[in-house]
Amino acid sequence: MKKIYMEIAIKEAMKSFNKNEVPVGCVIVKNNKIIAKAHNLKEKKRSVIYHAELIAIEKASKKLKNWRLNDCEIYVTLQPCPMCSSAIKQARISKVYYGVENKNNNISNEIFEKKDNNASITTIKKICENDCKKIIMKFFENKRKMQ
Amino acid sequence: MKKIYMEIAIKEAMKSFNKNEVPVGCVIVKNNKIIAKAHNLKEKKRSVIYHAELIAIEKASKKLKNWRLNDCEIYVTLQPCPMCSSAIKQARISKVYYGVENKNNNISNEIFEKKDNNASITTIKKICENDCKKIIMKFFENKRKMQ
C-alpha cells in the first residue's frame, strides 16, 4: 500500500467537489503504476453509471485491452457502493483500499466476502480516513447551508 | 406487464448469442413505450461494465436527460447481477421483470429488498422463463462442446 495513491484519489475527489458532485475519487494501480484515475460525474453525465470506480474500470480495461484487471489494486476515497463493488469483483481486481466507511453499506462487504467464480479480494479500510472524510463532510455541510 | 417487451429482450439476447457473448438482453419501458434496449457486450467491449442492463440504463438516461428513471420498468432475460441490480435501484427504476433466476445470486434480492434512500422496487420473476432459459442453456452447451 502506498499512501501516495490515496492522495491522488483525494485530488480526484476534489475535482468532483469543485463540480458540485458528491466528492469521490479513485485510482487503479498495476505493478506500482497508475493505469487509471477518475472522479464521480453522475450529475454532469446524468447517469448513475458514472461513479468514479466504474469510469476508472472502463479506462483501465481500455488500457489493458482486457476486462480482466488481474493484479490491479483500486484506491477509493469512499467505500464503494454495491454497483461498484460488484464491478470491482467481476473485473478481478485483487485489492481494494478505501478511506471512509459507509455504515449503511453491508451489502458491499458481502459482495467482497462471497466466494464465487471471481478472484478473491482483499479490502483494506480507513486509508487516509480523516482527509477522505473531510471532503465528504464539507460537501454535505455546504448542501445543507444551501437549503 | 406485457409479454411483448420480454420477447424483444429475448431478441436482444439473441444478438449477444450470435456474437458469442453470454446471451442477456433487456428493454426499458416508460409509459408503455420502449425507451432503450440493449444486449450484453462484455467480451467485445473488453470491460465488465457492458452488461445489457448498464448499457440500457445509460441509453435511457441519455434519452430522458436524467439519471432518475422514474416510472420506468426494466425487462431482463436473466436475473441481474449485483452490479446491475444496484444500478437499477439507484436509477429509481420501479419494476424489474426477469426471465431466468440465478440461484447463486441472493445478493441481488437483498439489494432490491433493502429499504434505503432509493425508491422501492418490485421484482417479478419467471417471465417467459422457458424461452429465456433455452438461449442460456444452448450457449453454455455450445461452450462445453468447444472445449
Side-chain angles (χ1 to χ4, degrees), chain B residues 5-22:
Chain B
Y5 297 132
M6 190 58 94
E7 286 164 358
I8 296 167
I10 292 171
K11 276 189 189 159
E12 284 295 312
M14 277 309 296
K15 292 182 190 171
S16 296
F17 186 96
N18 292 330
K19 291 171 184 170
N20 205 22
E21 300 268 0
V22 176

Side-chain angles (χ1 to χ4, degrees), chain A residues 42-43 46-51 58 61 65-67 81-83 86-87 90-91 104 107 110-111 114, chain B residues 42-43 46-51 58 61 65-67 81-83 86-87 90-91 104 107 110-111 114:
Chain A
K42 174 178 159 183
E43 298 291 340
R46 293 168 168 168
S47 170
V48 295
I49 72 169
Y50 289 91
H51 280 191
E58 171 63 2
S61 303
K65 296 190 175 69
N66 201 328
W67 60 259
C81 76
M83 172 180 75
S86 177
Q90 291 183 55
N104 288 319
I107 291 180
E110 271 184 67
I111 289 169
K114 189 176 175 182
Chain B
K42 174 178 159 183
E43 298 292 341
R46 292 167 168 168
S47 169
V48 296
I49 72 169
Y50 288 91
H51 279 191
E58 171 64 1
S61 304
K65 296 188 174 70
N66 201 329
W67 59 259
C81 76
M83 172 181 75
S86 178
Q90 291 183 54
N104 288 320
I107 292 181
E110 269 186 67
I111 289 169
K114 189 175 177 184

